[in-house]
């Protein structure tokens, strides 16, 4: 039966709740049910009830931050997801959410919430974009030069870009640690002493052993240890297989590392 054919006058409170309001607070459910009894469709009644419910929460402090990266055509927009509690951040990972819709999110979370745009990264046509997000805590956006990539290879290269993003999240804390150490040494170094310069993160990443690839760089207690495959070497191998040169053009990191 189509939703437009449902007789809302005859729907019991339980039926209405189970069909339309399972995910929302009881206050939203009660108000939406009353609106629908007066002839309003749930798709109109529930958002209206959510707006009324969410209004008083605006004064409550937002203490926890998460990140969410939304991939678009030739662009990625990164959002700051703010909640009152850590548990709300975990709840935001479950099911489908319209993150920019504050009222509907508050109606499901039962606490204050805000979605604020941090940055929109725009990319030229010759770049393939990969996005890796780790539980709303960290996000990595990696672009790979696709000026020589055939259309049939785009999904494969996108998967490689996503893998590079996953590796970037894994190695970024170590990069920040080394940067902190060098900053400390530079601050306390004797006059005239030459210190090692830390490369940009993209170059640092290329020199690290590639992770999260089946059968590559996996430790074994049997036999001699195989030589470690760097991310740069892994990309060269992928380039040879696809017969197309793959180069990381940019790496952008977000989150409280």
């Amino acid at each position: 039966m189509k939703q437009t054919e449902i007789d809302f006058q005859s729907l019991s409170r339980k039926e209405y709740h189970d069909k339309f309001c399972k995910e929302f607070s009881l206050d939203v459910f009660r108000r939406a049910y009353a609106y629908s009894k007066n002839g309003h469709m749930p798709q109109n009644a529930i958002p209206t009830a959510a707006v009324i419910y969410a209004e008083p929460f605006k004064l409550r402090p937002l203490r926890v931050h998460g990140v969410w990266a939304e991939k678009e055509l030739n662009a990625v927009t990164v959002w700051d997801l703010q909640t009152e509690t850590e548990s709300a951040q975990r709840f935001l990972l479950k099911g489908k959410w319209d993150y920019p819709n504050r009222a509907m999110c508050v109606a499901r979370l039962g606490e204050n919430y805000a979605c604020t745009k941090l940055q929109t990264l725009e990319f030229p046509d010759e770049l393939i974009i990969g996005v890796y997000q780790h539980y709303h805590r960290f996000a990595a956006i990696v672009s790979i030069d696709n000026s020589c990539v055939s259309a049939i290879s785009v999904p494969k290269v996108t998967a490689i870009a996503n893998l590079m993003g996953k590796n970037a999240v894994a190695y970024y804390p170590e990069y920040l640690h080394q940067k902190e150490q060098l900053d400390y040494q530079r601050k306390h170094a004797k006059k005239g002493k030459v210190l090692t310069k830390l490369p940009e993160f993209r170059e640092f990443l290329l020199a690290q052993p590639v992770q999260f690839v089946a059968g590559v760089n996996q430790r074994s207690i049997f036999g001699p240890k195989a030589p470690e495959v760097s991310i740069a070497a892994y990309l060269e191998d992928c380039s040879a297989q696809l017969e197309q040169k793959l180069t990381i053009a940019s790496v952008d990191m977000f989150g409280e590392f």
Side-chain angles (χ1 to χ4, degrees):
M1 180 182 291
K2 294 181 180 179
Q3 186 166 302
T4 53
E5 298 173 353
I6 296 175
D7 180 9
F8 296 107
Q9 296 295 327
S10 64
L11 271 184
S12 68
R13 292 171 66 87
K14 185 179 185 308
E15 289 173 323
Y16 188 93
H17 176 270
D18 292 347
K19 284 181 180 291
F20 306 110
C21 287
K22 267 187 174 180
E23 298 178 330
F24 300 102
S25 71
L26 287 176
D27 286 348
V28 172
F29 155 61
R30 293 189 188 105
R31 196 182 296 273
Y33 181 71
Y35 288 159
S36 290
K37 280 294 185 179
N38 287 328
H40 297 280
M41 299 292 287
Q43 61 262 39
N44 298 322
I46 294 173
T48 301
V51 169
I52 296 171
Y53 174 79
E55 183 63 27
F57 286 84
K58 286 183 176 180
L59 299 177
R60 291 165 61 161
L62 295 163
R63 300 184 178 90
V64 186
H65 295 262
V67 291
W68 167 56
E70 181 183 23
K71 188 175 179 179
E72 304 157 355
L73 182 63
N74 293 342
V76 177
T77 298
V78 182
W79 303 82
D80 178 19
L81 306 181
Q82 297 173 265
T83 58
E84 296 181 49
T85 64
E86 290 281 359
S87 60
Q89 291 285 336
R90 292 191 292 270
F91 191 49
L92 285 169
L93 295 169
K94 301 175 182 177
K96 294 183 179 180
W97 294 79
D98 181 5
Y99 293 112
N101 191 327
R102 175 186 175 272
M104 292 292 276
C105 289
V106 171
R108 292 174 66 180
L109 291 171
E111 65 175 64
N112 197 11
Y113 164 88
C115 179
T116 307
K117 184 185 292 187
L118 289 175
Q119 188 177 353
T120 295
L121 304 171
E122 297 183 351
F123 300 90
D125 291 339
E126 62 269 18
L127 297 181
I128 291 178
I129 308 165
V131 177
Y132 176 73
Q133 306 187 66
H134 185 76
Y135 298 111
H136 286 170
R137 292 185 61 200
F138 315 116
I141 293 89
V142 176
S143 66
I144 290 182
D145 186 353
N146 77 333
S147 55
C148 299
V149 174
S150 64
I152 196 171
S153 297
V154 168
K156 294 179 180 178
V157 178
T158 301
I160 294 170
N162 292 339
L163 173 67
M164 294 299 101
K166 192 172 184 179
N167 275 268
V169 168
Y171 284 115
Y172 198 56
E174 173 61 23
Y175 179 78
L176 293 178
H177 177 65
Q178 291 191 25
K179 184 177 183 300
E180 183 179 346
Q181 287 184 319
L182 282 175
D183 288 344
Y184 179 85
Q185 292 174 15
R186 190 172 291 108
K187 184 178 179 180
H188 296 86
K190 293 180 179 180
K191 189 175 180 180
K193 183 178 181 180
V194 179
L195 296 175
T196 303
K197 185 178 179 181
L198 190 67
E200 292 184 2
F201 179 58
R202 184 176 68 89
E203 298 301 322
F204 174 87
L205 183 64
L206 289 169
Q208 307 311 309
V210 67
Q211 297 189 54
F212 317 114
V213 178
V216 179
N217 292 338
Q218 293 183 345
R219 295 181 179 179
S220 174
I221 60 173
F222 304 104
K225 182 181 177 181
E228 286 188 329
V229 178
S230 69
I231 289 176
Y234 177 77
L235 286 175
E236 288 180 6
D237 184 56
C238 291
S239 298
Q241 292 179 29
L242 295 173
E243 297 183 346
Q244 296 155 347
K245 180 65 176 176
L246 303 180
T247 305
I248 293 180
S250 63
V251 182
D252 292 277
M253 307 299 295
F254 295 89
E256 298 179 354
F257 283 89

